[in-house]
């Protein structure tokens, strides 16, 4: 049996830089370092949120990554609302090789583990390939266009909300 | 290390000291059971009554040193020695002193006292073993042979003693006796070997065959004997590889090539990746000169060993036909690129070097064509490694622009691959952009903080860019920083030469830069002083800058020297580390490994790293020496003092601010614990009265061990020149020309400097000058010695004409003696020479040497 070229692995504090590099070189939006550091909360002021993050490898080279967050309902209700994908990137030349699907599958399995049924994601309006990809993977648009969602971006500042129910 | 002593009570008690002597023996027993403090207590009692009792003094020194009280111990030892006439002391006393000397690593002294103990009547045979170990450590193998023999006679029942004796005989050239010793022992143990001893036995058998092989030389009969012996011991030998290798080389020597080739084929079968066997197989088959046969051979071997490198690679080194070579190269390189082998370029680099006129061009075409043929998205892995290959290819050809293009392409395609950053940094380094290079490595390092390789590389790049602080910070991520603020102590403890030497050189460069700045500031201040425009804000600033820069100069100079000397300390440690093995290897029965170690031990002080430290420290020591020759008024210190006279208040304030910082910063620079060393900045090293003599201490180790061919004669020349010994400079020049000929530019440059120096006054002595003047003519025929006193003779022009393919090295050498020449013209020549060198070198010379 041939070796599977694509694999996933955890994000560790030491290779956080890789995830950061991937995000910054694929997305037009530049996230600050704190956005990644919150995966590894330090001290009392650290974030108490639950995150799911993975790196995707192609032939042992890190080429994609995902970071998702468990959304809790702030109004004191017991049940959380779902899982929100904050970041999902794959390097341009490594697309259509199943890495993104694997990353999404990982988050979906985490959803099941946490008894969640909804996955959300924001996608920039001009990011057609992403919209197409999400649609292919069972996401549907929900609600109207959010105006001026992205601030530090070279692309469109507006975005859609996509949702997948599992 | 054995500290056993069996001679208790056998020494002669001095008359009238019977009681003290018994007490002394008690103290000795306590020492042996490591109760040093109790031992000292008794000794103090003895010494109170009789302060002349040397035995007690010596033992107290030993007790103290075992407790770590080195300086106190030294006092007692000195006291004891002053009361002993020559070596006439009791055997126990001599023995104690011997052990003391060994503990403080004065091995030659230790040998002396152990020997004295035996001469004075000690019957303790154990001493011979310790003595032999120490004699081996100080290279006194003749003495070691005697001691080994004595010990062997006393204890015939141990294998270790037989092996030790044989080794000592072997080292002293008594090969036949060594063989006899080993044979005798073989007979003794025949049939009585336990399982545990089999390995030891096999080593001794192989060792014996080694000696026999060496004795045999080219004598066929003797070689036949060795061969027979090898066959005999074959079933008992574990190290089949050495056995086969020896067998093969015996066949080769005897001219039985066919047999040899069979053995080499067996060896290849055992390890088909060792290039040596293939070369030797060719020789044994007698086909080195016939490329057709060679090609056929390797084609066949490739079928046998399809996964091995050598059969694929070796044909590439000799195939002449361009088309065929091109096909073969393709078959060799492209599969590697397809698989994504990062080392693809390194694998063929040897061909680039060896066949510069043909291979690079062919491979450039092959790989470029391949790159065009693949798609970046469907085959991403081959794509990046092919770009990577081409970037390396163009760097090799010094086409920096193209190299950069390809590496950028690769990074853009896959920005998460650390190798790409490493390489991009390398390209930038060659372009002389050291800071940028370090930043690129830092970018790569951040991808994976656990990657130790890029961590150390980044550290090195930052050091090259003179950013010591950042480098230390990054290096400290991987060190043990228990009681320290950074990893510098730990890096010294683990003898990380690469870091220490790079740091030393960085400090040296910073020292040069600071020194230049200081000179400028002083001139500016002196000018201002003359126009009396100093009592304003600008003047205050100037004073501040001068003070700060003065400290920068001193700090960097001191630290550079400190670090260079730290390297030499590592090597002293390596030297001392051998001590235990003179007994350990005997016990473990590994004579062959032991002999390898002895051989290695002789080269320690000639290793490149040690030489680099020597050269670096010499630059500092010689500049210290040059400064010491200056007139009092011209020294920087005096000039600064003069400027400060009118600004006493401001100066005092600045000085105290700097002193405060000195104390605070100490912990950032300390390489040793405070107890070991409190001269953190190396200031005491700078203030030594005789810098050249300090250098001599580390230089003599090198001179003793280095071979004539490998010796660095420029260093020797410069050293003797500073010492004022022109005759010895001539010696260096003469040796150099013997090896490199008189046509070499460096020989010419040295000869010119030497000749022109013979007309100078101090510090050169008259006889030396005469010898050198005469010698220049003899060694370098054609050197116009008669023009020496001609003020108008243009030596630079002469050099230019005589050595037309001038290298940079001789020019830099001349430049270090530029006071003898027209400095402006020399500078111009160097600049011209530099113009077609790579930017890295250009920048270095421009920034630090001109």
């Amino acid at each position: 049996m041939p070796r599977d070229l694509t694999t996933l692995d955890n994000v560790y504090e030491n290779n956080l830089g890789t995830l950061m590099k991937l995000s910054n070189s694929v997305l037009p939006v530049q996230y600050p370092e704190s956005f990644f550091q919150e995966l590894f909360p330090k001290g009392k002021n650290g974030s108490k949120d639950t995150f799911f993050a993975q790196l995707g490898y192609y032939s042992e080279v890190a080429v994609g990554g995902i970071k998702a967050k468990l959304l809790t309902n702030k109004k004191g209700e017991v049940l959380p609302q779902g899982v929100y994908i904050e970041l999902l990137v794959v390097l341009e030349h490594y697309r259509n090789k199943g890495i993104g699907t694997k990353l999404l599958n990982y988050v979906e399995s985490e959803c099941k583990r946490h008894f969640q049924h909804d996955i959300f994601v924001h996608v920039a309006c001009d990011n057609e390939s992403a919209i197409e990809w999400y649609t292919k993977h069972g996401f549907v648009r929900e609600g109207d266009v959010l105006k001026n969602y992205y601030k530090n971006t070279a692309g469109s500042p507006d975005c859609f909300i996509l949702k997948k129910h599992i | 290390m054995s500290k056993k002593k069996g001679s208790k009570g056998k020494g002669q008690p001095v008359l009238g000291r019977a009681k003290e002597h018994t007490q002394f023996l008690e103290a000795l027993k306590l020492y042996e059971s490591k109760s040093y403090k109790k031992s000292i207590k008794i000794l103090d009692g003895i010494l109170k009554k009789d302060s002349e009792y040397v035995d007690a003094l010596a033992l107290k020194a030993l007790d103290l040193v075992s407790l770590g009280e080195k300086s106190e111990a030294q006092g007692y030892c000195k006291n004891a020695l002053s009361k002993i006439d020559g070596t006439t002391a009791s055997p126990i006393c001599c023995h104690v002193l011997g052990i003391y000397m060994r503990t403080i690593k004065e091995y030659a002294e230790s040998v002396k006292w152990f020997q004295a103990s035996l001469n004075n009547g000690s019957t303790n045979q154990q001493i011979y073993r310790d003595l032999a170990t120490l004699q081996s450590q100080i290279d006194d193998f003749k003495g070691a042979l005697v001691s080994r023999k004595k010990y062997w006679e006393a204890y015939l029942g141990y294998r270790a003693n037989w092996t030790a004796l044989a080794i000592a005989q072997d080292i002293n050239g008594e090969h036949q006796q060594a063989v006899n010793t080993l044979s005798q022992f073989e007979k003794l143990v025949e049939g009585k070997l336990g399982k545990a001893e089999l390995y030891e036995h096999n080593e001794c058998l192989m060792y014996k065959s080694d000696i026999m092989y060496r004795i045999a030389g080219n004598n066929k009969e003797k070689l036949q004997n060795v061969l027979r012996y090898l066959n005999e011991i074959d079933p008992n030998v574990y190290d089949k590889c050495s056995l086969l290798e020896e067998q093969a080389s015996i066949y080769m020597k005897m001219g039985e090539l066919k047999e040899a080739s069979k053995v080499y084929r067996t060896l290849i079968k055992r390890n088909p990746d060792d290039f040596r066997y293939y070369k030797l197989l060719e020789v044994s088959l007698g086909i080195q000169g016939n490329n057709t046969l060679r090609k056929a051979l390797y084609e066949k071997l490739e079928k046998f060993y399809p996964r091995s490198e050598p059969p694929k690679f070796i044909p590439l080194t000799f195939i002449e036909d361009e088309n065929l070579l091109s096909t073969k190269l393709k078959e060799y390189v492209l599969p590697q690129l397809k698989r994504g082998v990062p080392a693809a370029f390194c694998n063929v680099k040897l061909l680039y070097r060896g066949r510069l006129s043909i291979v690079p061009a062919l491979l450039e075409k092959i790989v470029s064509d391949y790159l065009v043929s693949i798609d970046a998205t469907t085959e991403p892995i081959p794509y990046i490694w092919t770009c990577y290959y081409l970037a390396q290819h163009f760097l090799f050809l010094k086409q920096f622009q193209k190299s950069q293009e390809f590496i950028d392409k690769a990074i853009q395609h896959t920005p998460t691959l650390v190798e790409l950053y490493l390489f991009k940094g390398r390209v930038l380094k060659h372009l002389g952009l050291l800071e940028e290079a370090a930043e690129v490595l830092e970018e790569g390092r951040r991808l994976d903080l656990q990657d130790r390789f890029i961590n150390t590389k980044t550290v090195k790049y930052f050091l090259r860019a003179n950013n010591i602080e950042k480098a230390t910070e990054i290096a400290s991520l991987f060190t043990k920083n228990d009681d320290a603020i950074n990893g510098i102590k730990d890096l010294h403890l683990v003898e990380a030469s690469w870091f220490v030497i790079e740091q030393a050189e960085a400090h040296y460069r910073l020292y040069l830069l600071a020194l230049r700045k200081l000179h400028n500031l002083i001139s500016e201040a002196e000018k201002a002083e003359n126009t009396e425009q100093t009592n304003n804000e600008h003047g205050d600033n100037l004073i501040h800058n001068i003070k700060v820069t003065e400290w920068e100069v001193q700090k960097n100079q001191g630290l550079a020297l400190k670090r260079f000397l730290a390297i030499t300390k590592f090597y002293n440690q390596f030297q001392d580390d051998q001590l235990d093995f003179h007994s350990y290897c005997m016990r473990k029965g590994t004579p062959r490994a032991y002999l390898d170690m002895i051989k290695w031990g002789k080269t320690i002080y000639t290793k490149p790293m040690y030489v680099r430290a020597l050269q670096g420290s010499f630059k500092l020591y010689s500049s210290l020496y040059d400064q010491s020759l200056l007139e009092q008024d011209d020294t920087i210190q005096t000039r600064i003092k003069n400027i400060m006279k009118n600004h006493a208040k401001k100066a005092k304030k600045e000085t105290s601010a700097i002193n405060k910082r000195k104390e605070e910063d100490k912990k950032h620079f300390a390489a040793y614990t405070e107890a070991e060393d409190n001269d953190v900045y190396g200031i005491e090293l700078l203030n030594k009265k005789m810098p050249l003599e300090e250098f001599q201490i580390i230089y003599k180790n090198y001179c003793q061990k280095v071979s004539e061919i490998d010796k660095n004669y420029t260093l020797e020349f410069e050293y003797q020149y500073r010492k004022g010994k022109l005759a010895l400079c001539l010696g260096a020049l003469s040796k150099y020309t013997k090896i490199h000929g008189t046509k070499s530019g460096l020989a010419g440059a040295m000869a010119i400097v030497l000749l022109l120096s013979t007309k100078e006054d101090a510090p050169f002595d008259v006889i030396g000058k005469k010898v050198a003047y005469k010698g220049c003519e003899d060694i370098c025929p054609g050197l116009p010695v008669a023009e020496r006193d001609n003020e108008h003779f243009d030596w630079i022009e002469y050099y230019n004409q005589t050595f037309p393919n001038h290298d940079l090295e001789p020019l830099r050498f001349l430049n270090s003696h530029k006071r003898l020449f027209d400095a402006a013209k020399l500078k111009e020549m160097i600049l011209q020479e530099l113009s077609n060198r790579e930017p890295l070198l250009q920048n270095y010379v421009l920034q630090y040497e001109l």
Side-chain angles (χ1 to χ4, degrees):
Chain A
M1 197 184 88
R3 181 171 61 111
D4 190 0
L5 278 173
T6 57
T7 48
L8 297 190
D9 193 10
N10 297 336
V11 178
Y12 302 96
E13 198 169 359
N14 277 322
N15 63 13
L16 199 57
T18 308
L19 186 63
M20 217 180 311
K21 188 88 205 171
L22 283 167
S23 155
N24 288 345
S25 39
V26 174
L27 299 177
V29 192
Q30 301 292 306
Y31 288 107
E33 208 172 320
S34 56
F35 173 76
F36 301 96
Q37 272 303 340
E38 68 182 0
L39 285 174
F40 302 96
K42 288 210 180 70
K44 275 183 192 160
N45 302 326
S47 155
K48 288 189 184 69
D49 290 325
T50 308
F51 292 99
F52 314 119
Q54 289 280 288
L55 279 171
Y57 293 83
Y58 180 80
S59 185
E60 280 156 48
V61 181
V63 295
I66 194 163
K67 180 181 175 235
K69 185 174 169 181
L70 194 63
L71 290 181
T72 48
N73 198 324
K74 287 190 184 98
K75 297 228 167 83
E77 279 182 33
V78 190
L79 286 175
Q81 286 182 325
V83 169
Y84 170 59
I85 296 178
E86 296 182 316
L87 178 76
L88 172 55
V89 287
V90 175
L91 288 176
E92 190 192 332
H93 293 287
Y94 296 87
R95 291 181 190 162
N96 298 322
K97 293 183 188 345
I99 297 158
T101 312
K102 265 197 182 165
L103 289 168
L104 183 63
N105 287 346
Y106 167 78
V107 167
E108 286 180 8
S109 69
E110 285 297 317
C111 281
K112 281 178 196 146
R113 251 174 24 97
H114 289 80
F115 311 107
Q116 295 303 309
H117 297 284
D118 294 316
I119 304 176
F120 301 96
V121 66
H122 285 118
V123 185
C125 294
D126 58 349
N127 192 350
E128 283 163 24
S129 66
I131 295 169
E132 191 187 326
W133 188 87
Y134 280 115
T135 317
K136 215 169 75 190
H137 283 83
F139 283 79
V140 285
R141 259 183 72 178
E142 188 172 275
D144 293 329
V145 174
L146 274 178
K147 290 273 180 202
N148 289 321
Y149 175 73
Y150 294 112
K151 303 226 162 49
N152 258 325
T153 181
S156 159
D158 308 334
C159 77
F160 298 121
I161 299 172
L162 300 178
K163 179 182 160 187
K164 180 177 183 178
H165 186 80
I166 48 175
Chain B
M1 219 189 302
S2 155
K3 283 178 183 161
K4 248 187 229 157
K5 290 197 304 307
S7 71
K8 284 160 223 152
K10 280 182 190 151
Q12 303 291 317
V14 183
L15 271 179
R17 273 183 184 159
K19 195 180 160 214
E20 280 89 344
H21 187 68
T22 345
Q23 280 180 323
F24 171 77
L25 291 178
E26 205 178 312
L28 192 59
K29 233 181 224 160
L30 285 168
Y31 162 77
E32 277 167 11
S33 59
K34 296 191 175 164
S35 312
Y36 307 120
K37 282 194 175 139
K38 284 184 192 159
S39 174
I40 290 178
K41 213 170 182 185
I42 297 180
L43 292 172
D44 283 340
I46 303 174
L47 289 170
K48 213 176 225 172
K49 272 182 263 168
D50 180 2
S51 60
E52 297 291 299
Y53 194 20
V54 285
D55 297 30
L57 287 169
L59 186 57
K60 185 161 179 190
L62 184 54
D63 277 327
L64 284 168
V65 88
S66 309
L67 285 169
E69 306 280 347
K70 273 187 199 154
S71 53
E72 213 181 321
Q74 202 183 3
Y76 279 93
C77 175
K78 231 183 193 165
N79 193 357
L81 290 179
S82 69
K83 293 183 171 57
I84 300 173
D85 177 20
T87 53
T88 49
S90 76
I92 298 187
C93 176
C94 294
H95 195 172
V96 169
L97 282 171
I99 297 175
Y100 172 78
M101 293 299 180
R102 184 176 63 191
T103 318
I104 61 165
K105 296 182 179 173
E106 291 288 342
Y107 300 125
E109 280 296 297
S110 180
V111 166
K112 183 176 115 188
W113 288 105
F114 275 126
Q115 195 82 61
S117 176
L118 292 163
N119 293 345
N120 295 347
S122 172
T123 50
N124 181 358
Q125 303 289 344
Q126 297 288 349
I127 296 180
Y128 281 114
R129 190 175 60 182
D130 293 354
L131 183 57
T133 304
L134 287 159
Q135 283 165 327
S136 307
Q137 178 68 14
I138 59 167
D139 278 3
D140 175 14
F141 289 107
K142 228 182 209 137
L145 177 56
V146 178
S147 312
R148 294 277 195 214
K149 205 169 209 159
K150 288 270 189 194
Y151 191 67
W152 166 77
E153 279 164 1
Y155 302 93
L156 287 172
Y158 298 91
R159 173 194 287 276
N161 299 341
W162 292 78
T163 326
L165 177 63
I167 292 173
Q169 287 167 329
D170 181 23
I171 293 176
N172 279 292
E174 302 178 5
H175 304 300
Q176 195 53 53
Q177 282 93 319
V179 172
N180 294 346
T181 308
L182 290 166
S183 305
Q184 247 177 314
F185 189 73
E186 259 177 62
K187 253 181 228 140
L188 278 173
V189 297
E190 215 176 339
K192 296 174 206 153
L193 285 172
K195 214 171 180 193
E197 290 163 273
L198 287 179
Y199 181 77
E200 238 179 283
H201 191 61
N202 121 80
E203 277 296 308
C204 281
L205 294 175
M206 271 315 288
Y207 177 46
K208 186 174 137 189
S209 80
D210 277 355
I211 309 177
M212 285 168 75
Y213 175 73
R214 269 184 275 141
I215 302 176
N218 287 322
N219 183 319
K220 275 198 179 177
E221 208 174 308
K222 284 186 180 166
L223 286 169
Q224 197 72 50
N225 260 337
V226 189
L227 210 52
R228 208 172 307 129
Y229 181 69
L230 284 176
N231 282 332
E232 215 172 278
I233 62 174
D234 186 36
N236 298 325
V237 168
Y238 297 138
D239 185 358
K240 297 283 187 230
C241 188
S242 303
L243 189 121
L244 286 168
E245 281 179 16
E246 200 160 296
Q247 232 173 23
S249 58
I250 292 173
Y251 281 128
M252 291 285 259
K253 270 193 169 178
M254 298 204 313
E256 295 187 22
L257 297 179
K258 189 142 192 257
E259 289 299 317
S261 74
K262 277 188 204 157
V263 185
Y264 282 125
R265 284 188 196 270
T266 322
L267 280 165
I268 290 177
K269 200 172 168 191
R270 284 177 60 95
N271 177 6
D273 283 307
D274 193 328
F275 278 79
R276 281 179 311 151
Y277 299 147
Y278 290 87
K279 271 262 117 58
L280 289 161
L281 178 64
E282 277 183 31
V283 177
S284 65
L285 292 172
I287 56 165
Q288 314 100 285
N290 187 333
N291 284 346
T292 326
L293 286 178
R294 283 170 88 194
K295 203 171 128 280
L297 171 72
Y298 285 110
E299 268 165 17
K300 207 161 192 183
L301 285 169
E302 197 187 332
K303 276 190 199 121
F304 280 137
Y305 309 111
R307 298 178 75 94
S308 299
E309 270 298 278
K312 289 192 201 83
F313 182 81
I314 297 173
L316 303 176
T317 60
F318 63 77
I319 293 175
E320 292 292 339
D321 180 68
E322 206 163 301
N323 287 330
L324 184 62
L325 181 61
S326 176
T327 323
K328 285 278 177 191
L329 282 171
K330 216 184 247 177
E331 285 170 10
Y332 182 76
V333 175
L334 292 192
Q336 296 191 19
L337 293 177
K338 274 179 201 153
R339 273 207 329 270
V341 176
F345 181 77
C346 294
N347 289 339
V348 291
K349 207 164 168 185
L350 230 81
L351 296 174
Y352 272 66
R353 291 216 183 96
R355 312 186 76 183
L356 191 61
S357 58
I358 169 159
V359 167
L362 285 177
L363 277 171
E364 182 171 330
K365 188 165 175 352
I366 294 170
V367 181
S368 306
D369 286 352
Y370 176 64
L371 185 67
V372 175
S373 77
I374 54 175
D375 181 71
T377 307
T378 48
E379 295 170 281
I381 298 294
Y383 178 83
I384 39 171
W385 293 115
T386 308
C387 286
Y388 183 65
Y389 179 101
L390 286 171
Q392 286 173 297
H393 167 88
F394 286 114
L395 180 69
F396 182 91
L397 299 176
K398 299 209 182 300
Q399 300 182 19
F400 303 115
Q401 215 64 47
K402 275 196 164 170
S403 178
Q404 229 174 338
E405 263 167 43
F406 279 104
I407 199 67
D408 284 340
K409 223 179 197 177
I411 290 183
Q412 196 159 35
H413 183 280
T414 307
T416 47
L417 205 57
V418 71
E419 280 88 347
L420 305 178
Y421 293 90
L422 279 165
F423 189 75
K424 185 172 178 183
R426 222 168 100 200
V427 180
L428 291 172
K429 178 187 83 178
H430 282 283
L431 286 168
L433 304 167
L434 296 175
E435 282 101 14
E436 289 82 346
E439 285 306 331
V440 168
L441 261 83
E442 174 69 5
E443 197 184 340
R445 187 185 74 84
R446 288 177 154 275
L447 291 179
D448 184 1
L449 304 176
Q450 278 186 117
D451 188 331
R452 188 156 196 169
F453 183 75
I454 187 155
N455 178 281
T456 46
K457 277 281 179 195
T458 313
V459 170
K460 208 165 162 172
Y461 272 68
F462 272 115
L463 286 172
R464 290 268 165 94
N466 294 345
N467 194 342
I468 296 176
E469 204 177 317
K470 181 93 184 164
T472 311
E473 185 195 315
I474 297 171
S476 301
L477 291 174
F478 275 95
T479 55
K480 216 164 134 189
N481 312 327
D482 293 344
D483 55 344
I485 195 162
N486 57 33
I488 290 195
K489 259 184 214 165
D490 192 46
L491 287 161
H492 278 74
L493 191 72
V494 299
E495 293 163 349
S497 312
W498 68 269
F499 177 81
V500 177
I501 195 103
E502 289 288 350
Q503 211 193 17
E505 286 168 357
H507 277 301
Y508 179 70
R509 290 189 297 267
L510 288 172
Y511 153 69
L512 292 179
L513 295 179
L515 188 63
R516 190 182 306 156
K517 187 173 162 200
L518 185 60
H519 273 293
N520 292 341
L521 285 171
I522 292 175
S523 309
E524 195 186 327
E526 281 169 349
K527 219 181 281 165
E529 210 67 33
N530 290 338
T531 50
E532 296 190 2
Q533 295 175 327
T534 52
N535 284 325
N536 50 28
E537 202 177 318
H538 177 69
D540 275 359
N541 252 337
L542 206 51
I543 299 296
H544 170 78
N545 285 341
I546 288 178
K547 275 287 175 189
V548 170
T549 317
E550 187 190 13
W551 169 235
E552 280 297 307
V553 170
Q554 219 184 11
K555 179 177 92 179
N556 284 305
Q557 192 184 16
L559 280 169
L561 189 53
K562 186 112 203 151
R563 299 289 182 260
F564 281 128
L565 293 182
I567 298 280
T568 68
K569 277 190 190 159
F570 299 161
Y571 280 76
N572 290 339
Q573 188 62 46
F574 297 161
Q575 177 71 21
D576 289 342
D577 284 345
Q578 292 175 72
L579 181 72
D580 294 345
F581 291 94
H582 299 299
S583 58
Y584 178 84
C585 288
M586 309 302 150
R587 271 189 289 123
K588 286 284 163 191
T590 52
R592 292 186 300 162
Y594 175 70
L595 288 179
D596 281 348
M597 183 200 74
I598 298 272
K599 210 162 124 197
W600 168 81
K602 287 191 176 138
T603 62
I604 292 179
Y605 290 120
T606 66
K607 297 279 178 220
M609 187 61 82
Y610 190 80
V611 178
R612 204 164 142 194
L614 274 184
Q615 285 171 316
S617 56
F618 180 70
K619 279 190 217 153
L620 288 157
Y621 277 130
S622 59
S623 76
L624 285 171
Y625 173 74
D626 293 349
Q627 275 165 34
S628 73
L629 295 182
L630 286 179
E631 295 288 332
Q632 193 65 41
D633 289 349
D634 293 342
T635 61
I636 291 191
Q637 286 88 342
T638 319
R639 286 169 70 191
I640 293 179
K641 219 182 263 168
N642 287 339
I643 295 169
M644 295 304 158
K645 257 182 213 157
N646 297 334
H647 306 272
K649 212 170 145 195
K650 173 80 182 153
K652 205 174 155 193
K653 211 174 111 198
E654 291 293 337
T655 311
S656 68
I658 285 171
N659 283 341
K660 203 174 146 205
R661 236 184 67 200
K662 255 189 233 181
E663 274 310 308
E664 278 169 7
D665 286 353
K666 251 185 184 172
K667 54 183 185 293
H668 293 281
F669 294 100
Y672 308 97
T673 60
E674 235 169 287
E676 286 169 321
D677 173 71
N678 54 25
D679 179 25
V680 171
Y681 295 110
I683 304 301
E684 280 168 33
L685 296 173
L686 298 178
N687 291 336
K688 290 264 164 76
K689 287 277 171 308
M690 316 250 267
L692 291 179
E693 278 62 20
E694 293 295 320
F695 178 70
Q696 164 72 10
I697 298 172
I698 51 174
Y699 184 51
K700 72 167 192 281
N701 289 333
Y702 168 73
C703 293
Q704 278 165 3
K705 303 283 183 183
V706 74
S707 71
E708 290 225 326
I709 294 210
D710 295 333
K711 189 161 177 174
N712 185 329
Y713 288 105
T714 352
L715 182 60
E716 169 75 8
F717 184 97
E718 295 281 19
Y719 171 67
Q720 299 298 357
Y721 191 84
R722 287 297 190 306
K723 291 283 279 182
K725 303 253 167 45
L726 287 187
L728 292 173
C729 289
L730 182 74
L733 172 62
S734 144
K735 289 264 170 59
Y736 183 83
T737 52
K738 263 187 201 133
I739 296 162
H740 301 278
T742 50
K743 291 275 179 293
S744 100
L746 201 51
M750 277 200 260
I752 293 172
V753 168
L754 186 56
L755 178 68
L756 291 182
S757 301
T758 58
K759 64 174 180 184
E760 300 228 316
D761 299 333
F764 310 119
D765 67 288
V766 183
I767 302 170
K769 277 194 278 193
K770 273 190 187 149
V771 174
Y773 181 70
K774 186 80 197 44
C776 279
E777 203 174 6
D778 295 343
I779 292 171
C780 299
L783 189 71
V785 287
E787 303 289 348
R788 183 188 69 172
D789 300 315
N790 179 356
E791 295 275 319
H792 304 293
F793 189 81
D794 189 343
W795 287 97
I796 299 293
E797 191 54 39
Y798 165 76
Y799 173 82
N800 216 355
Q801 298 295 331
T802 325
F803 303 97
N805 57 339
H806 24 75
D807 300 322
L808 196 56
E809 218 38 55
L811 290 176
R812 285 161 90 178
F813 177 82
L814 288 174
N815 192 51
S816 66
H817 294 272
K818 61 181 167 207
R819 68 192 159 77
L820 297 169
F821 308 103
D822 177 357
K825 185 160 186 190
L826 191 56
K827 186 171 172 178
E828 199 180 304
M829 263 173 74
I830 294 178
L831 287 178
Q832 200 192 339
E833 201 45 53
L834 271 178
S835 61
N836 38 21
R837 302 298 169 116
E838 67 172 39
L840 177 61
L841 184 65
Q842 281 177 358
N843 284 1
Y844 187 87
V845 175
L846 284 175
Q847 206 170 355
Y848 302 109
E849 289 181 17
L850 286 181

